[in-house]
Amino acid sequence: MAWQLALTLAPDSDLPLFLQIARALTDDIRRGRLHPGDPLPGSRRLAETLAVHRNTVLAAYRELQAEGWITTRPAGGTYVSTELPDPAPRRFARRAAARSEMPARPGYDLGPAIEAHEWVGAERAPGVLVLAGGGPDTRLVPASLLARAYRRALRAQGRGVLGYGDPRGHERLRVALAAMLSALRGLAATPDTVMVTRGSQMALDMVARALVRPGDVIAVEALGYRPAWGALRQAGARLIPVPVDEGGLRVDHLAALAEREPLRAVYLTPHHQYPTTVVLAPGRRLALLELARVRRLAIVEDDYDNEFHYDGRPVLPLASADPAGTVIYIGTLSKLLAPGLRLGFVVAPGPLIERLAALRLLADRQGDHAVEAAVAELIEDGELGRHARRAHRAYRARRDALAEALRHELGDVLEFQVPAGGMALWVRVDEAVDVDAWAEAGRTARVVFGPGRRFAFDGRARPFARLGFAALEESELREAVRRMKAALRAVRSPSGVSERGEVFRRSAPKDDMGLT
């Protein structure tokens, strides 16, 4: 037992101390604080903890062993018995449990309810193939290089990375990120305009709290990223959805909204729109920046997978063409490396970064500077760039493998365009298929994918689904599609879905992205 075992004793009691110890341990076993097989501290250590003579503890242990509550192993320690004499708590033990166990409900009022979001980790049971979300394949992470860089950071900087530091993030990583973003994404970033966060979600939450006043109107995409909406709502924003089509956010609708409402900001994913993967059209990019300049709107640009654009020229962020300082740029290294590292960042004018740092001190104090220094070394040495190129090749091949498997196995019920970039496909589903029921049947078939309803601002069903491909190898993607096909059989009505070769029936016009 690594921790000290806390027991309450009453020196003034008429009950001998050794019996008090024995009864306290028995009560802890009855109420489940100690479990069968749990190790107990040695007699010397427990005596020191309780400030009693060692012989007192030995007497208590002998009493417990005689009653069958504990067992001892020669040179192996003392343990709670796996065959307890009375596994059912007695009446007095139930009363003790009622006093000692955590209450089922708090004895005070909670604040307003917080919107809950599905936890992707819960879907990752052994053998389940996950197409939901569009996360990276952590098997590709250069773990040995990261571990080596981490060890170097600890050896070289010691207390510097293990003590308190700058809430904006380790200076070495901010310098490296500023150089990388300037070179590859065209941002006029400096270390003082970059803040490192624990993932892009923390960045979104902090930006929301720094930017939003209760009642502020924030425009969002009609289908989009629910956790971002939750962060904005939690900060007090009133959200209004704006439609999206094959050219991205409808900036004309946004301009009309700005005429009707005191619009404070717009949150969007212009590079690969989430969840549809469409790219914001060039003309709309310019119109959006001009609208923001004239109206003094904040543009919160979530550029969550910038590195993965496979076809055509790379698309630079909105922030790269923003002389007016209206864009708050949020990025992440989670998609490039691994979500578990929790590394995101914000690029914005200095006054906002200062405000974010002040908020950080209240909530988290700082990030993991040892990890930040290690990742900075990977950037400086070019290792991160080499990893990005390897991942780029792998994910492009996986995109094509998923597209081919879908055409072959499910071409009679799905239509889609292969996206130029991103980590997922957005597919249209035949109107005769209940997408939500299909996704539920998929869980039974051990494949998880996201139905359109999951991304809808209004919560209504959509005849679409998002299928992430980056986290699975090509053979796994083909197996995932076979499981999707098997799940489809469970929800197909006899007269519903057309067989291969018949005309594909759509629930919306061909140019409708399902986002209005």
Side-chain angles (χ1 to χ4, degrees), residues 12 20 24 34 55 61 70 74 79 145 188 194 214 325 338 356 372 380 386 404 408 420 442-443 463 488:
D12 299 333
Q20 291 188 48
L34 294 173
N55 288 338
Y61 277 5
I70 66 173
Y79 298 83
L145 296 178
V194 175
L356 295 178
E372 291 173 14
E380 295 161 354
R386 284 186 282 276
E404 178 58 29
H408 182 264
R443 292 177 180 271
L488 180 61

Side-chain angles (χ1 to χ4, degrees), residues 30-228:
R30 288 177 184 276
R31 65 189 176 93
R33 182 189 178 199
L34 294 173
H35 303 91
D38 278 356
L40 294 176
S43 58
R44 191 184 307 278
R45 186 198 299 180
L46 185 56
E48 291 174 355
T49 301
L50 301 178
V52 299
H53 197 279
R54 184 186 177 196
N55 288 338
T56 303
V57 175
L58 289 171
Y61 277 5
R62 283 194 295 270
E63 182 75 15
L64 290 169
Q65 187 172 9
E67 294 179 4
W69 292 102
I70 66 173
T71 60
T72 58
R73 302 172 191 171
T78 304
Y79 298 83
V80 177
S81 175
T82 56
E83 297 180 3
L84 299 178
D86 183 9
R90 298 172 185 165
R91 291 182 61 189
F92 81 87
R94 284 199 296 270
R95 288 197 297 272
R99 291 193 303 271
S100 304
E101 290 178 354
M102 180 65 67
R105 295 179 179 274
Y108 44 84
D109 294 332
L110 295 175
I114 299 173
E115 183 181 0
H117 301 284
E118 189 168 1
W119 178 44
V120 176
E123 301 170 337
R124 303 193 183 278
V128 175
L129 297 176
V130 180
L131 295 171
D137 188 348
T138 56
R139 294 171 294 188
L140 299 180
V141 174
S144 60
L145 296 178
L146 180 61
R148 184 183 66 186
Y150 187 83
R151 289 193 298 271
R152 286 179 178 172
L154 290 177
R155 284 198 302 265
Q157 301 180 47
R159 295 184 208 170
V161 294
L162 296 178
Y164 287 123
D166 194 323
R168 297 174 300 172
H170 195 282
E171 182 180 14
R172 188 177 175 188
L173 182 56
R174 289 189 290 114
V175 169
L177 282 173
M180 182 184 79
L181 295 172
S182 297
L184 300 181
R185 304 187 193 180
L187 273 63
T190 66
D192 290 336
T193 61
V194 175
M195 179 168 182
V196 181
T197 61
R198 292 189 190 270
S200 60
Q201 186 61 36
M202 181 183 189
L204 286 166
D205 177 69
M206 290 189 5
V207 166
R209 288 191 286 140
L211 183 69
V212 175
R213 300 162 300 204
D216 276 350
V217 177
I218 309 292
V220 299
E221 295 157 318
L223 284 193
Y225 187 54
R226 285 191 173 277

Side-chain angles (χ1 to χ4, degrees), residues 345-395:
F345 51 87
V346 182
V347 182
L352 178 60
I353 297 296
E354 292 174 7
R355 180 166 293 195
L356 295 178
L359 283 169
R360 180 72 172 275
L361 286 169
L362 298 177
D364 184 52
R365 186 58 177 82
Q366 66 185 61
D368 187 335
H369 282 194
V371 169
E372 291 173 14
V375 173
E377 178 177 311
L378 296 185
I379 297 175
E380 295 161 354
D381 293 349
E383 294 292 352
L384 190 65
R386 284 186 282 276
H387 168 66
R389 289 189 288 275
R390 289 191 295 270
H392 188 281
R393 289 192 298 270
Y395 295 164

Side-chain angles (χ1 to χ4, degrees), residues 180-188 268-272 279-282 284-286 288-289 301-303 305-307 309 311-322 327 329:
M180 182 184 79
L181 295 172
S182 297
L184 300 181
R185 304 187 193 180
L187 273 63
L268 76 163
T269 51
H271 190 218
H272 301 128
V279 179
L280 187 63
R284 296 185 188 184
R285 293 161 61 88
L286 296 176
L288 176 58
L289 289 169
E301 179 179 15
D302 187 353
D303 195 7
D305 63 356
N306 183 279
E307 295 82 8
H309 197 79
D311 304 326
R313 290 184 176 180
V315 179
L316 293 179
L318 289 169
S320 68
D322 174 37
V327 178
Y329 183 77

